[in-house]
Amino acid sequence: MAGTDHNPWRRFLALPNESRTKTLVMAFLVSGICALMVSGATVLLRPIQTANRAAEEQARIAELVRGIPGMTDLLEQSGGTLSTVVIDLDDGRAAQDVTTETFATVLADTANWTALEPAADIAGLAQRPDYAQIFLLRTGEEISLVLLPLTGQGYGGRIDAILALEGDMNTIAGIAITGHSETPGLGGRIEDPSWQARFPGTLLRDEGGELRFGVARGTASTPYQVDGITGATRTGRGVSNMVQFWLGPDGYGPLLRAINRGEF
Amino acid sequence: MAARFDVRRTLTEPLIRQNPVTLQILGICSALAVTTSLSTALTMSVSLTVVLTLSAMIISVIRRHIPDSIRLIVQIIIVASLVIVIDQVLQAYFADISSALSIYVSLITTNCLVLGRTEAYARHNPPLHAAVDAFGNGLGYSLILLLVGGLREVFGRGQLFGWQVLPLAEAGGWFTPLSLMLLAPSAFFLLGGVIWAIRTLLPTQAEAPDHVPPADVRAIE
């Protein structure tokens, strides 16, 4: 570089720091490089993170099943595995052309999602998939346990959970929270095993068949309620709405009826 | 910077004598939150040291070309990007610990220690010096975090790195865990104790009292 003037980069560096050009260019340069770094890391590491999350969810399902009284014995009797079924949420039957292998790709297609009416959308989801992957455990021919994945809107973001129902499709056998972004120490306590331990035995519907389940604002007063978490009213309401929505007519309602009719 | 650069001094000074946590009371928030076990404390220490050193180096490299008017935002954006990268790495390779650290890794961005060192040192010194200083400060922070984390894990659970070191009473041993040690206030007590111990040994660190108590009244009478 003979003259400093011919190299634009050097000319730029030689500018006084206070000049407007230098300020602007530096700002863009720094943010551009940082953006590259951040997006590079995110994109490169995403497959590993997804695998981690899937493994974690598997571990939670296993833990949920183990935590339900008598479940380990049941599992041993039935060969130790839960069968996975992809169901069509609209008619509550096993999906014909979707398998567990193709499930993820099918859900990636927006055509397989249904927009929800604002009145029906109590869980704040805006749309729900047409297919869901559930887990069934049989004792002989009878279904003794169903695991249903749920999603809802909490205080800080989405809550993902898996709800286990006993064979009567009305008694909760357990719940596992697989993902949430609630405030640590407050709503984040939905992760606590001690809070989740209050779910088993809670009933969903009364004799008339009406869905009565809810998270109480304080201590539970009916067999359909679970104690709330102090200081986390909106998280509790989020969990209530999530269960209400997913076990209702737009969620697993048709499936539960089909199971009760003995179609599975 | 006419004086010769003393690597050892820059590196060891922040360990006790100029410790960022106990002397300058920086980075207390994370020191309280993530020290319930030694492994989370260690992960946090390593993450912070890496972020601190890298950001100090980067900022020192471009220090002559950072316009003064956007100085802070440039520093913050560099620190924040490094933190996101570290957070992603932790989520990918240390998923368990990453969920235990929850939001505190992201909060390294607002950790006064990082910005304090880049603003006070890296901005005026060449990259190597800045890196050594940042690394030393990271080590000082790590030292306190590991100390508090180790004490809390031993007394709260009887474990170190998840290994049972003290036999628990419920498992037939003699040790009854102190549940208080797993709550945030215990970190305050421990940190206060450490600061008191250091200032007793090194009285120069003690701050001058804000108020001088009135002299004995009877002496005037």
Side-chain angles (χ1 to χ4, degrees), chain A residues 193-215:
Chain A
S194 60
W195 186 70
Q196 292 174 10
R198 300 180 188 280
F199 275 78
T202 311
L203 299 178
L204 290 170
R205 294 162 204 274
D206 58 16
E207 283 81 29
E210 196 190 335
L211 200 51
R212 294 269 303 274
F213 175 84
V215 176

Side-chain angles (χ1 to χ4, degrees), chain B residues 209 211-216:
Chain B
H211 304 284
V212 182
D216 199 347

Side-chain angles (χ1 to χ4, degrees), chain B residues 120-201:
Chain B
Y121 197 90
R123 213 155 55 81
H124 308 292
N125 291 282
L128 199 64
H129 299 189
V132 171
D133 170 78
F135 189 66
N137 273 281
L139 288 185
Y141 174 86
S142 311
L143 188 73
I144 300 297
L145 235 68
L146 291 178
L147 183 70
V148 175
L151 286 172
R152 283 178 78 181
E153 196 176 349
V154 163
F155 291 116
R157 291 204 196 91
Q159 300 175 333
L160 275 180
F161 283 118
W163 286 94
Q164 207 68 46
V165 287
L166 301 176
L168 291 185
E170 53 195 66
W174 52 270
F175 181 69
T176 312
L178 297 160
S179 318
L180 174 70
M181 279 297 171
L182 299 179
L183 303 176
S186 73
F188 254 126
F189 301 149
L190 287 173
L191 219 50
V194 171
I195 294 175
W196 171 68
I198 292 180
R199 292 192 180 182
T200 309
L201 292 174

Side-chain angles (χ1 to χ4, degrees), chain A residues 35-248:
Chain A
L36 268 182
M37 199 161 79
V38 166
S39 25
T42 320
V43 170
L44 285 179
L45 296 172
R46 186 165 298 150
I48 309 174
Q49 291 172 358
T50 329
N52 278 343
R53 268 193 285 273
E56 197 182 341
E57 189 158 321
Q58 276 304 313
R60 280 190 203 223
I61 292 175
E63 198 182 329
L64 169 70
V65 171
R66 250 184 286 117
I68 299 167
M71 215 22 76
T72 345
D73 303 340
L74 269 179
L75 274 179
E76 275 164 15
Q77 281 171 20
S78 61
T81 44
L82 291 160
S83 55
T84 312
V85 184
V86 177
I87 58 147
D88 189 323
L89 281 174
D90 286 324
D91 57 8
R93 284 159 221 265
Q96 301 301 318
D97 40 1
V98 185
T99 61
T100 42
E101 283 83 31
T102 57
F103 180 67
T105 34
V106 166
L107 281 202
D109 184 357
T110 45
N112 291 317
W113 289 70
T114 311
L116 295 168
E117 298 287 322
D121 185 21
I122 46 177
L125 296 170
Q127 55 173 3
R128 70 145 172 83
D130 294 341
Y131 302 96
Q133 188 173 313
I134 63 160
F135 307 89
L136 295 172
L137 185 73
R138 289 168 208 275
T139 320
E141 284 298 291
E142 288 286 294
I143 288 177
S144 52
L145 189 80
V146 188
L147 301 187
L148 305 171
L150 315 178
T151 310
Q153 191 64 33
Y155 174 66
R158 233 175 75 169
I159 299 178
D160 293 316
I162 292 171
L163 186 74
L165 294 185
E166 287 179 15
D168 62 354
M169 295 300 124
N170 195 33
T171 315
I172 296 180
I175 194 168
I177 306 287
T178 49
H180 73 89
S181 39
E182 304 304 290
T183 323
L186 287 171
R189 281 175 53 204
I190 54 173
E191 255 187 356
D192 282 2
S194 60
W195 186 70
Q196 292 174 10
R198 300 180 188 280
F199 275 78
T202 311
L203 299 178
L204 290 170
R205 294 162 204 274
D206 58 16
E207 283 81 29
E210 196 190 335
L211 200 51
R212 294 269 303 274
F213 175 84
V215 176
R217 289 197 69 162
T219 332
S221 53
T222 69
Y224 313 103
Q225 281 186 325
V226 171
D227 291 353
I229 296 172
T230 317
T233 325
R234 283 178 62 184
T235 306
R237 207 185 306 144
V239 173
S240 299
N241 290 342
M242 172 170 84
V243 175
Q244 289 267 355
F245 171 81
W246 280 100
L247 296 182

